[in-house]
């Protein structure tokens, strides 16, 4: 088995009932991202941002992993040379059985103190009046990477991509950097690249190979070919 880095996006959780961002009816067609997914928006209106993420947390906790999450869990369980990186803030990969998932955009189930950077398990409902359990400041936020903030674990992810034989992007539009640039890093380093998506993403020729269709069908079928 080769060294594989897998990057997942919102499309992998779409069939679990969690909305994507940029598809028709997606989250960014209903909400102004500058108000709910930037540190400036949070500073202007923390109540609004907490309400947005409280609703997302409830949806995520009520959702169940689907066949794509399960297939990736099987792959990661049976092969320790696979790194699963997700842009998703839900915990559906973990609940399907994947260990060691790298959450580059943070986790909806975790809370962060904006003052002392202490992290803890988020309550189901967060509120601007909550205090940090460590320093006591009223500066609690969801542990999410907003626009303009540095995604987590970048050194580890890039080192893994540079060493991989295969890079696979699943259910992501490839519009948000730095994740959108991972395919170029993989290609430059000599890895084979594969996109699995409902439909091909707009820039043709970026990936060596493209598989199209719903993740619950394409991902289990692709994983099966590796065994
Ligand atoms: C299916 C399916 C099914 C559907 N089966 N498939 C100008 C140029 C270049 C870069 C920039 C720029 N201006 C600003 C930037 C940087 C910025 C950026 O990239 N902006 C672009 C939008 C232009 N990036 C950042 O700010 C990042 N940080 C950064 O760059 O740090 C460096 C830095 C720091 C300081 C100063 C300067 C630089 C941070 C990005 C944080 C992203 N955060 C979000 C929200 C938080 C998490 C949350 O609330 O959930 O993360 S945005 C949102 O997009 C979320 C996602 O993780 C992310 C990616 O979306 P994803 O997963 O691709 O979803 P969609 O909806 O776009 O696509 C779904 C896909 O699934 C589609 O293709 C469907 O076809 C498919 N699909 N159903 C299979 N059933």
């Amino acid at each position: 088995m080769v060294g594989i880095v897998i990057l997942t996006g919102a499309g992998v959780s779409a069939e679990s009932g969690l909305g994507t961002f940029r598809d028709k009816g997606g989250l960014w067609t209903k909400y102004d991202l500058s108000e709910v997914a930037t540190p400036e928006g949070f500073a202007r209106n923390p109540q609004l941002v907490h309400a947005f993420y409280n609703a997302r947390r409830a949806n995520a906790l009520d959702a169940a992993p689907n066949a794509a999450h399960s297939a990736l869990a099987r792959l990661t369980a049976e092969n320790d040379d696979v790194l699963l990186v997700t842009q998703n803030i839900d915990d559906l990969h973990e609940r399907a059985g994947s260990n060691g998932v790298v959450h580059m955009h943070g986790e909806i189930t975790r809370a962060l103190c904006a003052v002392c950077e202490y992290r803890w398990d988020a309550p189901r409902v967060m509120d601007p009046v909550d205090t940090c359990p460590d320093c006591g400041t009223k500066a609690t936020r969801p542990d999410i990477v907003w626009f303009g903030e540095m995604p987590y674990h970048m050194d580890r992810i890039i080192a893994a991509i540079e060493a991989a034989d295969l890079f696979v992007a699943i259910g992501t539009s490839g519009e948000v950097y730095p994740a959108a640039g991972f395919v170029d890093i993989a290609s430059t380093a000599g890895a084979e690249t594969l996109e699995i998506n409902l439909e091909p993403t707009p820039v043709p020729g970026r990936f060596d190979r493209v598989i199209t269709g719903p993740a619950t069908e394409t991902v289990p079928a692709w994983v099966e070919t590796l065994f």
Side-chain angles (χ1 to χ4, degrees), residues 9-11 14-15 20-23 28 53 56 87 89 105 144-151 171-173 175-178 197-198 213-215:
E15 290 163 86
T20 61
F21 295 92
R22 296 169 184 82
D23 293 314
W28 295 159
Y53 282 101
R56 304 264 313 277
Q87 298 168 88
I89 61 175
H105 289 166
I144 303 295
V145 177
W146 289 321
F147 284 103
E149 296 183 322
M150 192 59 78
T172 175
S173 61
E175 290 194 25
V176 177
Y177 285 84
N197 207 315
L198 197 55

Side-chain angles (χ1 to χ4, degrees), residues 15 68 71 170-171 195-198 211-225:
E15 290 163 86
I170 303 175
E195 172 175 70
I196 302 180
N197 207 315
L198 197 55
I211 298 172
T212 51
T216 54
E217 295 172 18
T218 52
V219 176
W222 169 69
V223 167
E224 199 57 45
T225 67

Side-chain angles (χ1 to χ4, degrees), residues 17-56:
L18 300 183
T20 61
F21 295 92
R22 296 169 184 82
D23 293 314
K24 195 166 173 237
L27 280 170
W28 295 159
T29 67
K30 297 180 195 151
Y31 295 89
D32 180 348
L33 68 84
S34 65
E35 295 304 326
V36 295
T38 62
E40 295 80 11
F42 184 61
R44 277 192 295 273
N45 193 343
Q47 193 75 55
L48 173 80
V49 176
H50 274 304
F52 175 71
Y53 282 101
N54 287 341
R56 304 264 313 277

